[in-house]
Amino acid sequence: RSSIGLRAEALAVRAYGLARLGRDDEAWAAAEQRLELLSRSADARLRGTAQYDAGSIALATGRDADAVRLLDAALASHEAKFPHALARLRLTEARLRISDVTGAALELDRFPFEPVGPAELPEALVPHLERVQALVAAADGRRELAGEGFASAAAGWRRLVRDAPPEDPYATTLVAFGRSAPGGTVEPAVELGRTLAEWAYLLAEEGSVQ
């Protein structure tokens, strides 16, 4: 692997790690530095992967318009090595956050056409999908459907937490993508907490309008 490729991968590890620690500005700076580094690369696949990572960091750090722009660009690169199905769900969520409910619904419609392989952990994609479907339903005023989606997603994450081997909390590297651990980690306990918080917010909203 070239020195540029190694440096770019190190920046990806740094960005994901800092975002996980809540150091949002530093995480975004590392993601931007990686984008700049690879903007001069002739390899469109590397640029597409960097856009996916930066878009994911943008979503995690509240830079929603940047997340839409970058994830949309990444998904236009069909040969880049990143989980396209998960990227489509993240783009759906990013569009919701900028109040583009129609656009989010369209992204969700495109989800079934994204390739899914064993390295993308299909069993984890199911609760991911159910959560995002619930978010779209809630934004569209379909509260009952949203509640059902959150309940199903929470149950799915609970199963993954329960079934995780004791020596490995389901933190799985996407080896088939040649990615580092931070870029391919699935944390069911974290996802469960996020889903329950969003479900609780929905219930609180329902109570406030009754």
Side-chain angles (χ1 to χ4, degrees):
R1 184 178 293 188
S2 69
S3 60
I4 290 179
L6 289 172
R7 186 181 172 196
E9 190 65 16
L11 285 168
V13 172
R14 177 176 174 79
Y16 277 111
L18 288 169
R20 186 67 182 84
L21 292 172
R23 293 163 62 177
D24 293 353
D25 290 343
E26 293 171 85
W28 179 241
E32 285 192 306
Q33 189 177 352
R34 182 166 180 246
L35 283 172
E36 172 62 23
L37 178 66
L38 292 177
S39 68
R40 300 183 293 273
S41 172
D43 193 334
R45 293 173 299 175
L46 288 179
R47 293 199 303 273
T49 301
Q51 288 167 333
Y52 163 75
D53 288 327
S56 297
I57 295 298
L59 184 65
T61 59
R63 292 164 171 83
D64 305 323
D66 288 315
V68 169
R69 171 177 58 85
L70 290 162
L71 291 168
D72 192 43
L75 283 162
S77 175
H78 300 292
E79 296 181 358
K81 290 187 176 182
F82 62 84
H84 283 67
L86 181 57
R88 186 66 69 184
L89 293 179
R90 288 178 176 173
L91 179 54
T92 302
E93 184 175 352
R95 289 199 184 281
L96 281 178
R97 291 191 187 179
I98 62 169
S99 301
D100 182 8
V101 179
T102 300
L106 290 173
E107 298 296 350
L108 202 54
D109 287 343
R110 296 185 180 107
F111 173 82
F113 301 100
E114 296 296 348
V116 177
E120 295 189 72
L121 302 174
E123 65 272 32
L125 267 181
V126 173
H128 269 306
L129 172 62
E130 290 170 335
R131 171 185 165 266
V132 173
Q133 287 174 324
L135 290 173
V136 172
D140 200 32
R142 295 171 291 163
R143 295 179 181 276
E144 183 176 352
L145 184 61
E148 292 172 358
F150 283 132
S152 185
W157 289 125
R158 284 194 182 97
R159 283 193 297 272
L160 292 179
V161 171
R162 181 195 64 213
D163 296 341
E167 72 279 3
D168 179 8
Y170 217 77
T172 305
T173 301
L174 302 184
V175 177
F177 292 126
R179 302 307 317 284
S180 60
T185 296
V186 173
E187 297 177 278
V190 172
E191 296 297 337
L192 174 59
R194 179 181 292 116
T195 300
L196 291 174
E198 291 164 342
W199 190 8
Y201 182 79
L202 175 72
L203 294 173
E205 277 196 325
E206 288 180 342
S208 68
V209 299
Q210 289 177 357

